[in-house]
Amino acid sequence: MPVVKKIYNACKESFKPNVPVSEEAIEKVLAVLDELKPANVGLEQEAQMVLKGKASANGNSKKGRNGSGQYPPLIKYLHIHECESFSIGIFCMPPSSIIPLHNHPGMTVLSKLLYGSLHVKSYDWIDLPEPADPTQARPAKLVRDCEMTAPCGTTVLFPTRGGNMHCFKAITACAIFDILTPPYSSEDGRHCSYFRKSARRDLPDGIDQLEEVDPNEVVWLEEIQPPENFMVVRGEYKGPLVKKV
C-alpha cells in the first residue's frame, strides 16, 4: 500500500469531526509519517535537484499589483485530500519564498519537511486575565526560531501550544507535507489570519507570574490583511491517489 494511502487511513481512523485530537491519535499518524519520502508523493526529481544544488527560483516571480514591485517566487500547493475532519497537502517553496506569519485557530497541524531547508519562526499567544481585544496588538511568546533541513522529524502544533502561529522562509527549494485537523473553515470560525510584529516593546501586566514565559521572548503581534505580494498557486499532485474519485 502506498505510504500516502497509509497516512490517509491513519488520519481517517484518528481524526473525527468535533472530537478533540488525542495524543494517541497524533502518535498513530506520526508513526506513518516517519515513513514518508519525496518519492512517495511524486517529488523524487525535485528532491534530487535540491541535493545536487540545481534547484533555483528560475525567474518564477511576477510584477506586483501596482506594477512597480515584484511578487516573491510563487509557492505551489499540491492538494491531496480534504474532508470535514482533516486536509492533506504539500507546499512546494522555491528558494527565498516566504509563507508569512499566520495562525491555525482551533486546529492541530502536523508538518513534515520532505526535502530542502527552511527557516521557521513560531509563536503562541500569552494567556492573560483580561480578555483580548482582536483589534489591538496581543502579546505572544516565541516558541521556535531555527533552521530545519530534511530529513528531520515531524513538527506538531496545537490550538494553544507548540507554535500555533508560524512563518516560513525557504533557504533552498523545499516541500512541506501538511496535515490539518480540522481544516480551515470560515463558516466554523477557523479563518486564516495574518500577523506582524507591533512596535510595542512593553511587557504585559502579570507576565512575571507566568513561569513558562521568558520576558526576553515576548513580542506583540497585530493582525493585518493578507500580504498583497503573497501568492500560492495550485500545482499538480503527481503522487498516488488516497481515495477513489
Side-chain angles (χ1 to χ4, degrees):
M1 181 185 295
V3 174
V4 71
K5 176 66 172 176
K6 292 182 183 179
I7 293 171
Y8 165 79
N9 288 343
C11 290
K12 188 176 180 181
E13 294 173 8
S14 304
F15 304 143
K16 306 295 182 182
N18 304 314
V19 177
V21 179
S22 67
E23 292 288 343
E24 182 182 359
I26 294 293
E27 291 300 325
K28 190 171 187 176
V29 177
L30 285 175
V32 191
L33 273 172
D34 285 342
E35 302 177 30
L36 188 65
K37 303 290 190 295
N40 302 134
V41 287
L43 293 174
E44 183 174 18
Q45 183 177 356
E46 289 83 352
Q48 287 298 321
M49 289 179 66
V50 172
L51 289 174
K52 295 176 181 177
K54 294 181 180 179
S56 69
N58 293 326
N60 186 22
S61 59
K62 297 173 66 178
K63 288 288 185 181
R65 290 172 193 159
N66 59 10
S68 57
Q70 276 199 330
Y71 288 113
L74 291 177
I75 298 166
K76 290 183 179 180
Y77 180 72
L78 314 183
H79 173 80
I80 298 176
H81 176 76
E82 182 168 338
C83 60
E84 185 181 3
S85 302
F86 62 92
S87 65
I88 304 175
I90 304 171
F91 286 95
C92 296
M93 303 179 64
S96 302
S97 61
I98 294 172
I99 296 179
L101 187 63
H102 62 284
N103 68 348
H104 309 83
M107 301 156 65
T108 299
V109 181
L110 294 82
S111 298
K112 182 177 179 67
L113 185 63
L114 294 176
Y115 62 81
S117 299
L118 57 73
H119 185 271
V120 58
K121 186 175 284 191
S122 64
Y123 304 88
D124 283 325
W125 293 122
I126 296 174
D127 290 326
L128 297 175
E130 65 272 13
D133 181 350
T135 65
Q136 301 295 322
R138 290 178 59 189
K141 59 182 177 182
L142 180 67
V143 174
R144 186 180 301 233
D145 184 4
C146 63
E147 291 184 6
M148 298 178 65
T149 299
C152 55
T154 302
T155 60
V156 184
L157 60 87
F158 299 89
T160 59
R161 61 187 173 89
N164 187 273
M165 295 168 288
H166 63 195
C167 57
F168 299 118
K169 181 174 183 179
I171 299 171
T172 68
C174 60
I176 307 164
F177 186 94
D178 258 359
I179 300 173
L180 280 60
T181 178
Y184 284 113
S185 171
S186 297
E187 293 180 0
D188 297 314
R190 297 188 300 274
H191 174 73
C192 183
S193 299
Y194 295 87
F195 301 89
R196 68 182 176 193
K197 282 187 180 181
S198 165
R200 288 189 64 168
R201 294 290 183 268
D202 57 306
L203 291 175
D205 294 336
I207 192 70
D208 54 336
Q209 300 175 15
L210 302 176
E211 295 181 359
E212 72 278 10
V213 178
D214 182 347
N216 294 318
E217 296 182 341
V218 173
V219 298
W220 292 82
L221 301 177
E222 56 189 9
E223 186 173 344
I224 59 172
Q225 292 297 314
E228 75 96 31
N229 63 349
F230 173 54
M231 289 186 65
V232 177
V233 298
R234 192 73 166 258
E236 180 185 359
Y237 171 63
K238 299 179 181 179
L241 297 177
V242 298
K243 190 176 180 181
K244 291 182 179 179
V245 179

